[in-house]
């Protein structure tokens, strides 16, 4: 069993290109099915923290391959799941 707090302490890494995406900041849950749909990882930083849009990696739960002690391995390429933040 893993708690959300524990998952937020693990680094998300792509198994495809070895890219370090970051740490989970949020999750998306389907309340009708009672399942986690996506994990959300903040995207690359904005220029000087001011210019640019808020971007985030939205990684579908189905793309998680392994949750280890220190890392979460995902089968995605960062640019493919990088989207503008909905919030």
């Amino acid at each position: 069993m893993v708690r959300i707090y524990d998952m937020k302490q693990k680094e998300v890494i792509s198994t495809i290109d070895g890219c370090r995406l970051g740490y989970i900041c949020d999750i998306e849950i389907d309340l009708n099915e009672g399942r986690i749909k996506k994990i959300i990882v903040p995207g690359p930083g904005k220029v000087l923290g001011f210019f640019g849009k808020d971007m985030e990696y939205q990684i579908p739960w189905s793309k998680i391959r392994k949750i280890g002690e220190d890392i979460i391995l995902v089968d995605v390429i960062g640019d493919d799941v990088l989207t503008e933040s909905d919030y």
Side-chain angles (χ1 to χ4, degrees):
M1 182 106 38
V2 176
R3 294 176 182 236
I4 296 297
Y5 174 80
D6 295 331
M7 287 184 62
K8 290 177 75 173
Q9 306 301 312
K10 301 173 191 290
E11 188 170 19
V12 179
I13 299 176
S14 170
T15 59
I16 296 174
D17 61 5
C19 182
R20 297 175 145 191
L21 301 176
Y23 295 85
I24 296 174
C25 67
D26 207 350
I27 60 171
E28 186 175 303
I29 299 173
D30 183 329
L31 295 177
N32 293 325
E33 294 184 19
R35 296 180 182 208
I36 296 175
K37 287 181 63 174
K38 299 176 185 173
I39 59 173
I40 311 296
V41 176
K46 297 184 280 186
V47 177
L48 300 175
F50 296 107
F51 304 107
K53 298 179 181 176
D54 286 332
M55 302 294 283
E56 61 192 15
Y57 298 106
Q58 295 187 5
I59 304 165
W61 186 258
S62 62
K63 295 296 185 177
I64 295 176
R65 290 299 158 236
K66 181 77 173 173
I67 299 175
E69 287 187 35
D70 300 325
I71 62 173
I72 298 173
L73 298 176
V74 295
D75 282 347
V76 297
I77 295 176
D79 291 342
D80 292 346
V81 294
L82 186 63
T83 60
E84 188 174 337
S85 177
D86 296 332
Y87 299 98

